[in-house]
């Protein structure tokens, strides 16, 4: 799907292009971009419903929102997701990573279901791989997997950790909003109680 295919006003096409490129967008950034691009004067949430009406009918996609508790407040994040998010996301992982890396990523997510972990703790999970994956993910591959998951916003640095510190072995890493939105059923399979999932908001007509 490209935003130009969606048959939407120019401002909404540009908004979708930016959101697709970033994978996930913080609420304050989305509101600023909406104010910059939208000429209708309608609230962002109303425009989300209008965009979703077209995205859903044409592509089975939609803008969805997740609200995550942080420091006593809730931060909202927006993303374009497939309505069969879990199956599509898992399929994309199979194209992106080899079977040994996928087994390692599974261990990472299973670990993070219980809370944030340091980079070194996530790297060391490679030692927990069992046959046929034992010894198939080395230090360099493990670091590459973590960096790619951070780049694609499946994982996120915890709290106020600076991006310049992301190579530090002590930096804390956690599940990112994109993962909650696109892999929530998988997280439940990995042991996350449903009541621990953040709030999901769907913008539908």
């Amino acid at each position: 799907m490209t935003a130009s295919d969606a048959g939407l006003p120019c401002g909404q096409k540009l908004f979708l292009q930016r959101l697709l490129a970033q994978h996930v967008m913080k609420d304050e950034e989305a509101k600023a971009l909406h104010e910059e691009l939208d000429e209708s004067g309608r609230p962002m949430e109303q425009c989300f419903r209008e965009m979703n009406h077209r995205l859903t009918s044409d592509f089975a996609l939609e803008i969805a929102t997740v609200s995550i508790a942080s420091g006593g407040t809730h931060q909202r994040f927006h993303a374009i997701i497939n309505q069969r998010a879990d199956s599509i996301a898992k399929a994309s992982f199979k194209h992106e990573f080899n079977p040994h890396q996928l087994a390692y990523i599974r261990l990472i997510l299973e670990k993070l279901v219980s809370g944030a972990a340091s980079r070194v703790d996530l790297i060391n999970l490679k030692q927990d791989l069992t046959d046929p994956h034992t010894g198939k993910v080395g230090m360099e591959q493990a670091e590459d997997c973590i960096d790619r998951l951070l780049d694609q916003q499946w994982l996120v640095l915890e709290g106020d950790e600076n991006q310049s510190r992301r190579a530090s072995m002590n930096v804390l890493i956690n599940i990112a909003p994109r993962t909650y939105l696109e892999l929530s059923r998988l997280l439940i399979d990995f042991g996350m109680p449903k009541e621990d999932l953040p709030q999901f908001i769907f913008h539908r007509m």
Side-chain angles (χ1 to χ4, degrees):
M1 195 280 287
T2 61
S4 60
D5 296 326
L8 295 165
C10 181
Q12 292 184 359
K13 292 178 184 178
L14 293 173
F15 184 95
L16 289 174
Q17 286 174 348
R18 286 280 295 275
L19 187 54
L20 281 167
Q22 290 187 213
H23 299 300
V24 177
M25 191 176 289
K26 290 183 178 181
D27 188 57
E28 55 267 28
E29 182 180 358
K31 286 179 177 176
L33 184 62
H34 170 73
E35 290 180 4
E36 175 188 340
L37 297 176
D38 185 77
E39 298 179 353
S40 69
R42 295 189 297 273
M44 182 176 71
E45 289 75 11
Q46 181 179 342
C47 290
F48 280 1
R49 290 193 292 272
E50 294 169 359
M51 287 186 275
N52 279 344
H53 181 68
R54 182 57 61 88
L55 290 174
T56 298
S57 61
D58 291 355
F59 306 106
L61 300 173
E62 66 178 318
I63 300 171
T65 300
V66 61
S67 178
I68 298 177
S70 175
T73 63
H74 284 78
Q75 173 70 61
R76 288 188 176 190
F77 300 86
H78 312 287
I80 296 174
I81 66 169
N82 195 290
Q83 292 184 318
R84 295 179 289 115
D86 285 75
S87 58
I88 296 298
K90 284 186 279 189
S92 70
F93 271 111
K94 290 180 180 179
H95 290 291
E96 182 81 16
F97 300 97
N98 67 42
H100 308 304
Q101 292 168 326
L102 288 172
Y104 171 60
I105 290 169
R106 179 187 180 95
L107 292 178
I108 289 175
L109 293 178
E110 287 177 343
K111 173 78 171 177
L112 295 178
V113 159
S114 299
S118 67
R119 185 182 180 94
V120 69
D121 284 343
L122 296 184
I123 290 171
N124 287 339
L125 290 174
K126 64 186 176 59
Q127 300 170 4
D128 296 338
L129 288 166
T130 57
D131 289 335
H133 311 294
T134 305
K136 300 298 185 181
V137 176
M139 177 77 170
E140 185 174 331
Q141 273 194 317
E143 292 208 65
D144 179 64
C145 282
I146 292 170
D147 286 333
R148 286 158 72 184
L149 293 172
L150 285 167
D151 288 340
Q152 296 171 22
Q153 298 196 47
W154 297 109
L155 301 180
V156 66
L157 300 185
E158 177 74 355
D160 296 325
E161 295 281 11
N162 191 289
Q163 285 291 332
S164 65
R165 291 195 64 246
R166 80 178 218 169
S168 166
M169 289 297 171
N170 294 321
V171 71
L172 290 178
I173 295 172
N174 211 339
I175 296 169
R178 182 184 185 188
T179 303
Y180 285 118
L181 282 165
E182 299 194 48
L183 293 172
S184 59
R185 287 190 291 273
L186 189 63
L187 295 176
I188 292 170
D189 290 343
F190 288 167
M192 177 172 283
K194 288 184 179 180
E195 58 268 23
D196 288 351
L197 288 171
Q199 178 188 10
F200 299 104
I201 302 164
F202 297 98
H203 310 277
R204 294 168 180 168
M205 301 289 279

